[in-house]
Amino acid sequence: MAECDVEWELCKENIQPLKQGRTISALHQALCQQQEGNHTALNQKKQAFESELRMYDGDDPLDVWVRYIKWTKQTFPQGGKESNLSVLLERAVMLFTADKKYHNDVRYVELWIEFAEGCSDPMDVFRYMQAQGIGTMQAALYISWSEEHEKRGNLKMADRVFQDGVKCGAEPVDKLQVFHRALQARVCRQMMSSMTAQQRDDDDDEDEEPQRSSLAELKAKGKKKAVVPINRVNASAGYARGLQFKQPLGPKHNSRPVIFDENKVPESVPQEPKFEIWTAPPTARAKENEQKPEKWSNVKLPLKSRSGLSVAVPPPKPSFQPFVEEDDRPPAVTPCKINPAVNSVLSARKPCRLEQTPMKMLQERQQLMQTQTQEDGKSREQSMYCRDLVYSGATEFCFEELRAERYWQKHTRKLQTNSPEDSSTD
Amino acid sequence: MSLFGTNTGFGSAGTGVFGTTTTDSHNPMKDVEVTSPPDDSISCLAFSPPTMPGNFLVGGSWANDVRCWEVQDNGQTVPKAQQMHTGPVLDVCWSDDGSKVFTASCDKTAKMWDLNSNQTIQIAQHEGPIKTIHWIKAPNYSCIMTGSWDKTLKFWDTRSPNPMMSLQMPERCYCADVVYPMAVVATAERGLIVYQLENQPSEFRRIDSPLKHQHRCVAIFKDKQSKPTGFALGSIEGRVAIHYINPPNPAKDNFTFKCHRSNGTNTATPQDIYAVNAISFHPVHGTLATVGSDGRFSFWDKDARTKLKTSEQLDQPITACCFNNNGNIFAYASSYDWSKGHEYYNPQKKNYIFLRNAAEELKPRNKK
């Protein structure tokens, strides 16, 4: 185990923190396995979960998803694409949206919250949850939602969310109250510190020295009051996790309409028919890790486009002069010399798969999973195989895998009951 | 001791073994039925190589067995031998000299079956079910290639318990084909890898899938000089892609075509799309046969880009097919492929293997 200790020390920064913490033994095991490249045990466990998802016939299917996701988080401490965590979360969340019995199941609500936090716009997700009645009786929703507001500096809304929760009678009540009071305390403290800061003539040791907040956008000093933009391919994922601490939400950049939407929110909760009709929950998990290679040519500086905006539409021109280095002047539009029609690598991602509005994206996905018919505009086609079984988990299964699973299930059942071989019913 | 177990045999249970009903949809093409077919779905078929006189057919099934029949020139089939695995058999192949048959199973092992002595010995072991098995005969080595759901491709010298080589794949192996010096493996998540087998096997290229749906079957085709030059790849949604490895003009030479769909002309009702279960190339003409979940087989000429023939619909999906070494016989198996899950599985339903004369129907359109 000694090597694993070192291993943990060496990659501390890469281990994503979990709200509930990590068991040290699981962490050690996961890191050891990854270091040794021991994929087989991992693969088998993953395959076992995938099979269980498809074979489960009890009345609590959510349980399988919850366990699978929990195992994934423990086994892949760095997160990342290999874990398929975002895919799993999205699937789990979408699968049970129609299932009323899970709407206030604390496990389900927590999945939603985790999903929301991985999205580019958690607010959208929270609002959808509220509109659908998912988690409206759970304190966790209001706590996380208010946290989001607080991260964006919107303390008024943060407080209001808590009030909504109290009004709805969200459980557990005392937890909600504790967090609410904590928020109010923070608000007070902040008001106090800002007041004393204004009055400050001499330096107080309590007051912070000018500290640089980590992971925030850098403010330029000097004459050029321009700001280095934070670049993302495709630009619609406004920020990654970790950048959420200090959101420079001021009108320096293209203001996020989200902020304005907040202020439009009517007083009463939860019935809010004024909301747009949600035909499907918002989607768009953090897309930067899932990107396939694509043209960069449409991306212009600055790249803060509104979430959901298709890249094909160039973002509006900024009101300030983008900072350009003297010596290196990259062109605003990268000329695309490679004809995507010929080079299959660049054309792998078809235009229709570019960032659509979250709802449309999700509708497509839901159709894939739940309905049999495929609308492709021209002719209606119907797949004559069990799509849901094939595609239900994080990865696909082939017919033989499905059949093999059933074979093994039957086989182990036979061994357990020790009955003689008979070639009868399934 | 009865050769093929107790359940089936001549004239036991089941109807229509020898055509008691005239227009039974189990054999609408009126092809020769192989006697004593397996008791469960047939996963794979393979004919003996030309090095051996006569035609011998082996078939593996989900009843954990592999059976061997002799196919006589008059069309009669004689059951010869049978071997068992401890799990369903997923693939079979012959050695190049026709003396051994290799079988791959869900029990994570592969076995070598010596037909002369009727003995089997385990020659391979994986961490997951073995989906494909192929014999490689290179000038400087011979070995078995096994592709498994444990995401590895392993090469075995049959005399040693450890693999000669093990290659990691990005995903589980779904289908493969080998024509020396080329091997193609199609994996889950639409992965596609070409290997070159000269000197020792190594990955040659990873190809972006020409298909949008799950890969299901693959078969390599040869050029006029009998060198492997490309492959046909079938998907779970009624489409086959013809892909050349180094074509002069990829955009024009590579193409896909729809197959195993219903209601072709009738646009009022939705078109039913079925999975392509297997593809085989005719050893002489270079034309190909596809079999699908819809219970039909079709013959195609890929150079003329035309369909040569489509069969009548059988009452069960067709799960496997193969040509014999001179292309005169086309064998296809009718059994449930699990395309609709376990609800549609009827263990009482009989499974069949049919033999058809393929000498004429697979002649290419433009005869040179």
Side-chain angles (χ1 to χ4, degrees):
Chain A
M1 277 292 230
E3 319 85 56
C4 293
D5 285 338
V6 177
E7 181 63 34
W8 174 62
E9 286 292 324
L10 289 176
C11 64
K12 266 193 281 210
E13 314 84 45
N14 294 339
I15 300 174
Q16 291 193 348
L18 290 184
K19 268 211 181 116
Q20 66 265 35
R22 290 185 181 275
T23 61
I24 200 69
S25 57
L27 184 61
H28 275 160
Q29 190 182 35
L31 290 175
C32 277
Q33 274 181 345
Q34 286 181 9
Q35 195 183 31
E36 290 161 22
N38 181 5
H39 298 283
T40 46
L42 231 71
N43 277 343
Q44 284 176 341
K45 192 85 182 114
K46 206 188 242 191
Q47 194 84 345
F49 272 120
E50 290 283 330
S51 312
E52 201 184 341
L53 276 179
R54 286 164 171 86
M55 307 288 286
Y56 186 83
D57 56 358
D59 36 319
D60 188 17
L62 182 66
D63 178 58
V64 188
W65 286 95
V66 166
R67 277 186 286 121
Y68 189 6
I69 290 173
K70 199 154 142 195
W71 172 83
T72 303
K73 285 196 290 203
Q74 294 282 352
T75 316
F76 295 95
Q78 297 94 339
K81 205 163 140 188
E82 209 188 32
S83 67
N84 266 334
L85 184 60
S86 48
V87 172
L88 281 178
L89 271 177
E90 191 169 340
R91 288 253 166 89
V93 143
M94 300 309 175
L95 200 55
F96 298 109
T97 26
D99 208 345
K100 286 274 189 262
K101 79 172 183 209
Y102 282 133
H103 274 189
N104 279 306
D105 186 323
V106 66
R107 304 168 295 171
Y108 186 52
V109 173
E110 277 174 4
L111 284 183
W112 263 104
I113 293 172
E114 214 174 316
F115 169 67
E117 285 167 359
C119 279
S120 51
D121 192 4
M123 292 306 186
D124 248 4
V125 180
F126 288 134
R127 276 192 301 239
Y128 174 79
M129 284 172 75
Q130 193 180 43
Q132 298 291 314
I134 298 175
T136 46
M137 296 300 292
Q138 287 290 334
L141 166 63
Y142 301 99
I143 293 171
S144 302
W145 197 353
S146 145
E147 233 172 68
E148 264 307 306
H149 280 299
E150 201 178 333
K151 282 183 203 158
R152 294 166 187 235
N154 201 339
L155 298 169
K156 198 166 81 167
M157 281 308 299
D159 188 64
R160 188 175 300 167
V161 164
F162 272 123
Q163 289 173 6
D164 289 347
V166 168
K167 248 186 264 172
C168 288
E171 301 270 312
V173 179
D174 38 0
K175 185 169 173 194
L176 195 64
Q177 284 178 344
V178 163
F179 276 87
H180 192 185
R181 256 178 259 137
L183 168 73
Q184 288 170 332
R186 284 195 292 273
V187 170
C188 286
R189 229 178 295 137
Q190 199 172 356
M191 288 203 305
M192 300 285 285
S193 62
S194 64
M195 284 198 311
T196 54
Q198 282 171 359
Q199 296 167 1
R200 183 171 43 143
D201 286 343
D202 317 310
D203 55 301
D204 304 90
D205 21 2
E206 272 166 4
D207 279 338
E208 55 282 332
E209 291 145 0
Q211 275 183 12
R212 188 180 137 197
S213 50
S214 58
L215 299 176
E217 302 199 350
L218 299 172
K219 298 193 180 76
K221 297 269 178 187
K223 291 184 192 152
K224 288 192 185 170
K225 285 277 181 196
V227 175
V228 176
I230 294 177
N231 237 349
R232 293 274 180 274
V233 173
N234 208 13
S236 55
Y239 43 84
R241 299 183 221 186
L243 276 186
Q244 288 175 353
F245 293 134
K246 278 237 180 213
Q247 276 304 324
L249 297 173
K252 278 197 267 277
H253 303 275
N254 303 332
S255 19
R256 252 176 286 275
V258 165
I259 304 301
F260 299 116
D261 282 347
E262 303 301 345
N263 296 332
K264 284 198 212 131
V265 168
E267 298 291 333
S268 67
V269 173
Q271 267 75 34
E272 282 165 319
K274 289 184 204 145
F275 273 140
E276 56 219 281
I277 311 294
W278 295 83
T279 51
T283 177
R285 50 192 187 268
K287 288 268 194 264
E288 54 278 354
N289 294 338
E290 320 258 333
Q291 296 284 8
K292 298 251 166 49
E294 57 174 73
K295 281 161 51 169
W296 282 48
S297 57
N298 279 338
V299 171
K300 296 194 173 77
L301 295 170
L303 299 171
K304 287 267 197 233
S305 70
R306 279 165 252 146
S307 68
L309 199 62
S310 142
V311 172
V313 175
K317 276 222 165 294
S319 53
F320 62 93
Q321 182 70 12
F323 180 64
V324 171
E325 304 217 350
E326 278 84 22
D327 44 12
D328 186 11
R329 194 173 196 289
V333 175
T334 313
C336 179
K337 295 202 180 76
I338 307 169
N339 182 3
V342 171
N343 187 334
S344 57
V345 173
L346 288 184
S347 68
R349 186 148 173 165
K350 299 278 185 272
C352 69
R353 296 287 263 151
L354 284 178
E355 214 59 29
Q356 305 167 344
T357 63
M359 306 237 261
K360 199 164 158 207
M361 194 94 150
L362 189 76
Q363 274 173 341
E364 270 182 38
R365 221 178 287 273
Q366 273 193 331
Q367 273 184 353
L368 194 73
M369 280 197 342
Q370 283 159 11
T371 68
Q372 292 279 4
T373 51
Q374 229 176 350
E375 312 269 323
D376 63 353
K378 277 190 287 188
S379 62
R380 285 183 58 218
E381 303 173 332
Q382 193 162 318
S383 315
M384 300 300 288
Y385 60 91
C386 48
R387 283 197 99 129
D388 48 340
L389 281 179
V390 168
Y391 292 114
S392 98
T395 67
E396 63 186 3
F397 262 33
C398 66
F399 302 152
E400 287 77 26
E401 282 174 293
L402 293 170
R403 188 169 188 172
E405 277 313 309
R406 198 153 279 274
Y407 172 84
W408 288 122
Q409 220 185 41
K410 191 168 112 182
H411 189 71
T412 42
R413 234 182 273 151
K414 256 192 219 144
L415 285 180
Q416 280 164 0
T417 59
N418 256 336
S419 59
E421 278 253 283
D422 57 335
S423 60
S424 62
T425 60
D426 186 12
Chain B
M1 183 153 72
S2 144
L3 268 177
F4 275 174
T6 52
N7 284 356
T8 55
F10 295 144
S12 76
T15 58
V17 171
F18 282 126
T20 49
T21 52
T22 45
T23 47
D24 196 343
S25 59
H26 85 274
N27 186 7
M29 302 304 286
K30 315 270 193 322
D31 290 324
V32 174
E33 268 184 46
V34 167
T35 55
S36 302
D39 299 323
D40 209 334
S41 301
I42 295 129
S43 56
C44 48
L45 291 172
F47 266 108
S48 51
T51 42
M52 203 159 121
N55 286 302
F56 290 81
L57 175 68
V58 291
S61 83
W62 282 80
N64 302 4
D65 63 353
V66 195
R67 303 187 177 199
C68 177
W69 299 263
E70 179 184 0
V71 180
Q72 292 163 346
D73 294 333
N74 58 0
Q76 275 230 310
T77 51
V78 181
K80 281 289 189 195
Q82 173 182 351
Q83 286 291 340
M84 302 294 294
H85 265 269
T86 48
V89 176
L90 295 181
D91 202 8
V92 282
C93 72
W94 288 81
S95 63
D96 62 301
D97 61 359
S99 62
K100 316 262 191 303
V101 169
F102 299 95
T103 58
S105 164
C106 277
D107 63 9
K108 311 178 191 174
T109 69
K111 293 194 180 174
M112 175 168 79
W113 181 9
D114 182 325
L115 294 167
N116 293 325
S117 61
N118 200 13
Q119 299 288 325
T120 60
I121 177 175
Q122 179 179 335
I123 50 148
Q125 179 74 47
H126 269 267
E127 313 274 345
I130 306 180
K131 182 70 170 58
T132 66
I133 189 163
H134 291 86
W135 173 253
I136 299 177
K137 177 98 174 96
N140 57 331
Y141 70 96
S142 299
C143 70
I144 274 289
M145 177 180 98
T146 52
S148 161
W149 290 340
D150 67 359
K151 306 188 186 177
T152 61
L153 193 66
K154 293 194 193 224
F155 298 83
W156 309 82
D157 176 336
T158 57
R159 298 160 294 192
S160 159
N162 293 319
M164 295 166 25
M165 174 179 284
S166 176
L167 298 175
Q168 187 70 29
M169 294 190 292
E171 258 291 353
R172 297 151 280 164
C173 170
Y174 276 179
C175 50
D177 195 13
V178 169
V179 172
Y180 185 83
M182 175 168 130
V184 176
V185 177
T187 69
E189 308 295 337
R190 298 168 53 235
L192 196 49
I193 313 170
V194 179
Y195 296 86
Q196 71 82 27
L197 303 169
E198 276 181 88
N199 291 325
Q200 68 170 20
S202 64
E203 201 177 295
F204 173 70
R205 191 188 294 172
R206 295 206 178 177
I207 302 182
D208 286 331
S209 172
L211 298 173
K212 296 198 189 81
H213 292 94
Q214 185 182 103
H215 295 164
R216 186 127 179 85
C217 49
V218 71
I220 295 177
F221 57 81
K222 302 188 270 203
D223 59 14
K224 303 272 191 305
Q225 288 78 36
S226 284
K227 295 253 172 301
T229 182
F231 56 87
L233 178 68
S235 81
I236 209 176
E237 294 226 4
R239 199 177 273 272
V240 170
I242 300 287
H243 191 95
Y244 289 82
I245 298 294
N246 279 321
N249 193 343
K252 285 179 66 181
D253 294 337
N254 297 336
F255 67 97
T256 71
F257 61 91
K258 296 191 212 176
C259 52
H260 298 290
R261 299 177 178 217
S262 68
N263 305 336
T265 48
N266 182 5
T267 49
T269 53
Q271 193 182 46
D272 297 331
I273 305 179
Y274 294 87
V276 182
N277 284 332
I279 304 178
S280 279
F281 278 90
H282 193 276
V284 173
H285 298 309
T287 46
L288 69 145
T290 61
V291 295
S293 268
D294 54 350
R296 294 181 198 264
F297 60 82
S298 295
F299 301 143
W300 312 81
D301 181 344
K302 69 175 200 323
D303 300 315
R305 303 202 185 184
T306 58
K307 175 163 26 178
L308 299 170
K309 180 189 181 72
T310 295
S311 73
E312 297 299 318
Q313 187 169 27
L314 275 70
D315 59 355
Q316 286 188 106
I318 304 182
T319 49
C321 68
C322 72
F323 287 99
N324 76 330
N325 60 68
N326 60 12
N328 288 340
I329 310 178
F330 174 63
Y332 58 101
S334 165
S335 49
Y336 183 48
D337 57 359
W338 216 256
S339 50
K340 293 200 160 188
H342 79 279
E343 283 112 11
Y344 287 78
Y345 173 54
N346 179 1
Q348 313 303 331
K349 194 129 173 61
K350 278 184 70 70
N351 306 281
Y352 301 94
I353 302 178
F354 297 111
L355 303 176
R356 185 177 182 78
N357 188 316
E360 288 305 312
E361 286 174 329
L362 278 113
K363 288 217 172 103
R365 270 294 141 82
N366 321 319
K367 215 168 160 242
K368 297 229 162 87

